[in-house]
Amino acid sequence: MPIYSGPIIDAHHHLWDLGMRRHPWLEAAAGERGGLGDLGPLQRDYLPRDYRRDAARHDVVATVHVEAGWRADDGIGETRWLETLDKAGGVAARYVAAVPLGSPEAAGLIEAQAAFPRVVGVRDILSWDPDPARRFAPRDGIMDKPAWRAGLARLGRHGLAFDLMVFPRQLADAARLAAAFPDQLFVLNHCGSPIDRDEDGMRRWREGLRLLSSHDNVAIKISDLVAYDHDWTLDSLRAVIMQCIDCFGPGRAMFASDFPVAGLHATFDEVYDSFKEITADFFEAEQRALFFGTAERVYRMETSSPGSLPAGQQ
């Protein structure tokens, strides 16, 4: 089969205007986060025009904006800001919004977020590690807390997906969560974040990924493979990508850039050229699912149907 040249839905990226002072993790004095390394290159505005510049060589027809660490005391602020941005080229056509599901305000925030037609999912980052420099979440075991699960249970009333961001050590817990909520759609972020690159670490990741993929209500985003593979090669990316596809199949897997975060270790062209090269031998229908179809279905994009976006939002 030829290299994929069809339309692309980028299922995961971020935008920010640092002049608004709404992203505390990107403040100069914030320090490291999530084992990503030096965050200095991210400490600049990243707006739709910047995304379109980076993606110019690829036929990106729509994107999904995923919450970008906006200040927790302004729960709806990021969504309101996104609504003001230029949507040319389909940038930020859909949103995955932030809601702290275990908070007393969760019910009201879910209701408020769901009132925006572009909001199709929620993310509450669960990634925790004993090393403070690697963790994103404030504590371990959040997904087992009754209050948090009560918040999660509210998503289904609004047809919202849950973007699941965890480390491999948490994949077994995530599998139990998916089993407990069989009617909730989960979308695993960033391949399950294979952060430990030694043989034992990658084995644990593969086993956890296989376990989670056994639940049909879980899809996966193959995104930011370079976050924990800074000296990546096409072969090292191929091993992770093929494991994800082998576990979930093209019908439950989607490619995404995670820009500008992935830009710490690769260009946008390197990310998508790698996706295209590694899947060059796939059937056309499989390629289309990975680059377009799965994201279109999961995030209710319906880009192929004229006028299908909410009125006035095409």
Side-chain angles (χ1 to χ4, degrees), residues 56 102 153 162 201 267 295:
F162 180 71
T267 66

Side-chain angles (χ1 to χ4, degrees), residues 140-161:
D140 196 10
I142 292 174
M143 72 180 88
D144 292 322
K145 302 298 184 184
W148 189 89
R149 288 192 168 208
L152 179 70
R154 293 181 178 273
L155 300 185
R157 306 175 192 178
H158 303 283
L160 298 175

Side-chain angles (χ1 to χ4, degrees), residues 8-175:
I8 292 169
I9 293 175
D10 183 352
H12 194 116
H13 75 94
H14 311 286
L15 301 169
W16 48 68
D17 179 348
L18 296 187
M20 300 176 69
R21 302 298 297 271
R22 289 294 185 272
H23 297 83
W25 70 284
L26 290 172
E27 298 286 342
E32 291 190 19
R33 190 185 195 209
L36 295 171
D38 178 18
L39 300 180
L42 298 181
Q43 292 166 353
R44 58 182 176 85
D45 294 349
Y46 197 77
L47 297 167
R49 63 176 177 270
D50 303 301
Y51 178 89
R52 289 194 294 268
R53 178 198 63 230
D54 287 339
R57 281 191 52 244
H58 306 271
D59 186 16
V60 177
V61 298
T63 75
V64 179
H65 181 276
V66 177
E67 63 87 15
W70 190 275
R71 276 176 45 174
D73 61 356
D74 182 21
I76 309 297
E78 184 174 42
T79 303
R80 289 176 175 149
W81 174 69
L82 290 169
E83 289 288 279
T84 71
L85 298 182
D86 176 14
K87 302 296 181 183
V91 177
R94 294 288 185 271
Y95 316 146
V96 173
V99 175
L101 294 178
S103 74
E105 297 80 25
L109 287 172
I110 292 167
E111 195 82 27
Q113 295 285 15
F116 292 89
R118 288 194 181 94
V119 172
V120 292
V122 160
R123 184 167 79 160
D124 186 13
I125 295 179
L126 302 171
S127 304
W128 189 89
D129 189 90
D131 181 352
R134 288 166 55 148
R135 68 181 62 146
F136 287 86
R139 65 191 65 85
D140 196 10
I142 292 174
M143 72 180 88
D144 292 322
K145 302 298 184 184
W148 189 89
R149 288 192 168 208
L152 179 70
R154 293 181 178 273
L155 300 185
R157 306 175 192 178
H158 303 283
L160 298 175
F162 180 71
D163 264 44
L164 176 67
M165 185 167 159
V166 294
F167 285 130
R169 64 184 299 278
Q170 300 169 290
L171 287 171
D173 292 335

Side-chain angles (χ1 to χ4, degrees), residues 10 44 46 50-51 53-58 224-226 230 232 237 256-275:
D10 183 352
R44 58 182 176 85
Y46 197 77
D50 303 301
Y51 178 89
R53 178 198 63 230
D54 287 339
R57 281 191 52 244
H58 306 271
D224 205 357
L225 288 80
V226 300
H230 300 174
W232 60 272
L237 300 186
S257 71
D258 194 27
F259 250 64
V261 178
L264 291 170
H265 306 292
T267 66
F268 194 98
D269 287 343
E270 286 174 330
V271 169
Y272 266 91
D273 286 346
S274 296
F275 292 157

Side-chain angles (χ1 to χ4, degrees), residues 102-260:
S103 74
E105 297 80 25
L109 287 172
I110 292 167
E111 195 82 27
Q113 295 285 15
F116 292 89
R118 288 194 181 94
V119 172
V120 292
V122 160
R123 184 167 79 160
D124 186 13
I125 295 179
L126 302 171
S127 304
W128 189 89
D129 189 90
D131 181 352
R134 288 166 55 148
R135 68 181 62 146
F136 287 86
R139 65 191 65 85
D140 196 10
I142 292 174
M143 72 180 88
D144 292 322
K145 302 298 184 184
W148 189 89
R149 288 192 168 208
L152 179 70
R154 293 181 178 273
L155 300 185
R157 306 175 192 178
H158 303 283
L160 298 175
F162 180 71
D163 264 44
L164 176 67
M165 185 167 159
V166 294
F167 285 130
R169 64 184 299 278
Q170 300 169 290
L171 287 171
D173 292 335
R176 287 190 287 273
L177 182 69
F181 291 84
D183 296 324
Q184 173 62 50
L185 175 61
F186 295 88
V187 185
L188 181 65
N189 287 188
H190 310 323
C191 307
S193 304
I195 191 169
D196 295 312
R197 308 300 294 191
D198 60 17
E199 184 176 345
D200 285 344
M202 294 303 288
R203 175 185 52 77
R204 286 191 296 270
W205 167 73
R206 289 191 298 269
E207 291 174 352
L209 201 69
R210 180 69 66 185
L211 179 63
L212 183 57
S213 72
S214 68
H215 299 281
D216 292 339
N217 57 325
V218 185
I220 189 170
K221 277 193 265 201
I222 301 174
S223 51
D224 205 357
L225 288 80
V226 300
Y228 308 117
D229 186 9
H230 300 174
D231 299 318
W232 60 272
T233 65
L234 193 64
D235 284 340
S236 70
L237 300 186
R238 179 181 283 109
V240 174
I241 289 172
M242 294 306 296
Q243 179 69 21
C244 292
I245 296 173
D246 182 56
C247 286
F248 286 87
R252 287 195 290 144
M254 63 193 93
F255 288 136
S257 71
D258 194 27
F259 250 64

